[in-house]
Amino acid sequence: MSFSNLGLSEKVLAAVAATGYTNPTPIQEQAIPHVLARKDVLGIAQTGTGKTAAFVLPMLTILEKGRARARMPRTLILEPTRELAAQVKENFDRYGAGQKLNVALLIGGVSFGDQDAKLMRGVDVLIATPGRLLDHTERGGLLLTGVELLVIDEADRMLDMGFIPDIERICKLVPFTRQTLFFTATMPPEIRRITEAFLHNPQKVEVSKPATTAVTVTQSQVPAGREAHEKRELLRRLLREAKDLKNAIIFCNRKREVAIVHKSLQKHGFSVGALHGDMDQPARMAALDQFRKGELPLLVASDVAARGLDIPEVSHVFNFDVPHHPDDYVHRIGRTGRAGRTGTAISIVTPLDQKSMAAIEKLIGQNIPRAEGEFEVHSESAEPTERSREQRGRERSRGGRGKSRRGGHEQRGDARHASDARPAAEARPAREPKPAREPKPSREAKPSREAKPAREARHASEPRHGSRQQANTSHVPSIGRPEPRRPQREADSEPGDHSHLPAFLLRPVRSPAGA
Ligand code: AMP
């Protein structure tokens, strides 16, 4: 099947050819003819399947006829995050270069005034996050009564983020007769319910990610002590010693942890960016852009911020925290090993993560090999790790602080999993930098899973995920060498000697030291 058989316009076909795509992906092949026939579509597809072009290309063809009116967008695309919205805009810019279309983004972090001026000129495509869109409709600057085509993208992520009531409100503001394209990676009952409410006789198209069987992702788990500084030290070691590391995403479960890990890695000389839901818009876009261009080889991210991002060729994924939801694990490691390339996914696993790991292994239907080493998991009664032995030795020699300090760590370690508790050993770190001050969350960032667990149980038994068998899990990273120079007290409190880092992982000297 080639693109020319799908019914796309000449202009769009030329743009596709200019991009270098030769064949449509399965979701494009199935969905595009239905969209052009003006049918509702229920697309069950993850990011990475080419689903964005599956709606952007036929929309461009449809939009060639007709003109936009002031304040009345012709089409509306809803995205759960600003980054995804910006990515969809990039797709319109890329494929629609030959068309004079007005494409507007309505996302938090951009001034209302600029957005309003753009709406006033009339937009063909409005790409929005639900909160910001409703802010505009409530102010009266936007009328949705001219929307001919509505796209609801990443619906299951919208559900996780608590956006479904907003989506329901928006659906009441667009005409009943509009065409609706609805994309979701999973079909939990709440999503099924809204598809029944929002879609009219939808054409169902379902694909699994093409990379699921073809790709080789080498997975491993590395045991770590439960203290946060131990995990950070282990992460640095893993980064230094990872084979064939070109770039990596380091996932944390919470935005607070993202800020801490980011700052810590920076302090230790790594060239690293951060991405989490509460960063202001320019900072997020800049970090993502630098990572995409390869200027920052490392990116510390949370699930909400990273879901669906189009980041090609990530060689490594590190789970600094084991995700609480097993399908987040699948999404995270889906960042590597794309399009048949090999990738590596390494999870740092504390004793408290055993249950989550078991759920992940059950979901993916395989055991993730364990790397044994210096940071081997130990119970309270087992032999202490080399680091804790060393540290206590040092502390004893400084006057017996070891005992009370250790006690304190254990206490904080236990508090770590309380929902609002500070991460272990972060409560009052000795000389640990304070995490970057996080700006007040915007409306669309607020109900994210980063702040609290998802309201809906995720569908761990989704067959698509279950079938995501990763081949070749035999390689286990070597983690044996000790850190070159250990600061006296807190592993993160002083940047070490950076000369042992590969040059491309080194932070440029001119960069500011702060987050
Ligand atoms: P998406 O699922 O929309 O996030 O797309 C995943 C990646 O596939 C993006 O990098 C697209 O640029 C790329 N892509 C989309 N369609 C095609 C195609 N027909 N052939 C090759 N790559 C594509």
Side-chain angles (χ1 to χ4, degrees):
M1 173 64 89
S2 84
F3 275 106
S4 53
N5 303 330
L6 299 178
L8 294 166
S9 70
E10 289 304 318
K11 270 188 195 161
V12 172
L13 287 175
V16 169
T19 313
Y21 299 159
T22 46
N23 298 106
T25 64
I27 187 82
Q28 292 164 1
E29 190 179 315
Q30 293 178 56
I32 290 173
H34 292 313
V35 181
L36 292 171
R38 309 307 309 260
K39 302 246 174 67
D40 281 5
V41 171
L42 169 57
I44 304 176
Q46 290 180 359
T47 183
T49 55
K51 76 173 160 63
T52 314
F55 60 84
V56 171
L57 299 178
M59 281 177 75
L60 283 167
T61 298
I62 291 167
L63 289 164
E64 280 178 21
K65 295 196 190 88
R67 279 190 59 206
R69 284 190 283 165
R71 301 203 177 279
M72 292 179 70
R74 297 170 68 196
T75 62
L76 172 63
I77 300 171
L78 297 174
E79 293 289 339
T81 66
R82 303 160 182 194
E83 282 77 15
L84 280 168
Q87 260 170 43
V88 172
K89 167 115 177 14
E90 280 169 23
N91 272 256
F92 275 97
D93 295 342
R94 190 187 317 157
Y95 305 122
Q99 281 174 249
K100 285 200 184 83
L101 287 180
N102 285 334
V103 181
L105 264 183
L106 279 195
I107 53 179
V110 181
S111 93
F112 268 92
D114 293 351
Q115 293 181 333
D116 219 43
K118 198 142 196 196
L119 292 174
M120 196 54 209
R121 286 198 291 273
V123 294
D124 298 284
V125 184
L126 184 60
I127 306 161
T129 48
R132 185 48 83 101
L133 182 86
L134 285 170
D135 287 345
H136 275 271
T137 55
E138 280 156 17
R139 284 165 168 233
L142 176 63
L143 275 175
L144 298 181
T145 49
V147 171
E148 303 159 26
L149 187 151
L150 169 69
V151 180
I152 300 169
D153 195 18
E154 301 260 341
D156 52 349
R157 179 53 53 159
M158 302 259 203
L159 175 70
D160 286 347
M161 296 174 77
F163 286 157
I164 296 303
D166 283 355
I167 301 287
E168 289 182 309
R169 282 176 61 203
I170 293 165
C171 280
K172 289 193 182 119
L173 301 174
V174 296
F176 181 73
T177 51
R178 94 266 161 179
Q179 180 183 10
T180 308
L181 315 178
F182 188 101
F183 292 90
T184 183
T186 57
M187 278 295 264
E190 180 66 358
I191 292 292
R192 198 174 299 281
R193 179 187 74 75
I194 59 171
T195 59
E196 281 157 15
F198 299 163
L199 298 169
H200 305 295
N201 298 324
Q203 304 296 312
K204 189 171 167 188
V205 294
E206 184 164 5
V207 298
S208 57
K209 204 169 172 174
T212 47
T213 49
V215 77
T216 302
V217 176
T218 305
Q219 299 175 64
S220 60
Q221 49 173 314
V222 183
R226 62 177 70 178
E227 294 177 14
H229 71 86
E230 283 184 278
K231 289 173 72 179
R232 292 194 295 273
E233 186 177 338
L234 174 55
L235 173 68
R236 294 195 296 277
R237 184 168 301 185
L238 292 170
L239 285 169
R240 287 192 192 105
E241 299 185 3
K243 276 196 200 140
D244 303 322
L245 190 142
K246 293 182 189 68
N247 58 354
I249 305 186
I250 298 146
F251 281 101
C252 301
N253 286 353
R254 289 174 299 188
K255 52 199 167 198
R256 166 179 281 280
E257 206 71 46
V258 170
I260 293 169
V261 172
H262 173 228
K263 200 153 192 176
S264 160
L265 285 174
Q266 270 196 331
K267 246 191 135 173
H268 282 268
F270 289 88
S271 176
V272 59
L275 203 66
H276 63 70
D278 281 359
M279 282 165 63
D280 68 26
Q281 181 68 354
R284 293 163 89 181
M285 298 310 259
L288 188 57
D289 219 47
Q290 283 178 296
F291 186 70
R292 271 217 203 92
K293 289 183 189 148
E295 291 165 9
L296 285 176
L298 305 176
L299 189 66
V300 188
S302 63
D303 292 290
V304 168
R307 172 74 78 107
L309 293 182
D310 179 15
I311 304 163
E313 295 189 57
V314 177
S315 72
H316 283 63
V317 167
F318 292 89
N319 287 318
F320 181 80
D321 297 313
V322 173
H324 299 308
H325 298 273
D327 58 347
D328 277 336
Y329 178 85
V330 177
H331 280 286
R332 288 178 181 187
I333 75 163
R335 306 279 126 214
T336 187
R338 283 175 153 198
R341 295 183 193 96
T342 55
T344 303
I346 301 173
S347 302
I348 295 177
V349 182
T350 73
L352 297 168
D353 298 322
Q354 297 303 326
K355 237 171 135 179
S356 301
M357 273 321 276
I360 289 165
E361 290 182 329
K362 188 167 171 230
L363 174 68
I364 64 173
Q366 66 182 80
N367 289 329
I368 301 170
R370 249 174 76 145
E372 304 295 341
E374 185 180 344
F375 284 86
E376 193 167 339
V377 180
H378 63 280
S379 65
E380 296 303 312
S381 58
E383 275 297 293
T385 60
E386 186 189 314
R387 190 192 183 286
S388 56
R389 258 199 308 264
E390 257 187 44
Q391 179 167 332
R392 265 174 267 141
R394 281 196 301 269
E395 284 165 348
R396 261 197 301 274
S397 67
R398 287 202 301 267
R401 250 182 319 173
K403 205 172 170 195
S404 61
R405 178 166 173 74
R406 185 177 160 224
H409 269 303
E410 279 162 7
Q411 262 181 352
R412 286 193 293 269
D414 291 342
R416 185 172 177 268
H417 279 244
S419 62
D420 267 338
R422 276 164 170 262
E426 303 302 329
R428 212 170 293 279
R431 274 177 289 158
E432 174 81 13
K434 264 204 277 174
R437 222 186 138 94
E438 296 175 2
K440 217 174 157 217
S442 66
R443 180 172 181 168
E444 62 261 38
K446 219 187 276 174
S448 83
R449 180 195 277 179
E450 292 167 325
K452 56 183 179 213
R455 280 179 253 178
E456 298 290 324
R458 302 282 311 208
H459 277 236
S461 55
E462 283 285 317
R464 190 172 39 268
H465 289 149
S467 67
R468 192 183 165 81
Q469 299 290 319
Q470 307 294 332
N472 179 13
T473 54
S474 56
H475 167 69
V476 160
S478 125
I479 57 162
R481 254 194 352 250
E483 188 133 38
R485 207 185 70 185
R486 288 237 174 99
Q488 311 88 5
R489 190 167 166 204
E490 182 75 54
D492 263 354
S493 59
E494 283 176 17
D497 174 4
H498 305 155
S499 58
H500 52 277
L501 283 182
F504 79 102
L505 285 180
L506 272 174
R507 190 160 55 86
V509 179
R510 63 187 152 73
S511 290

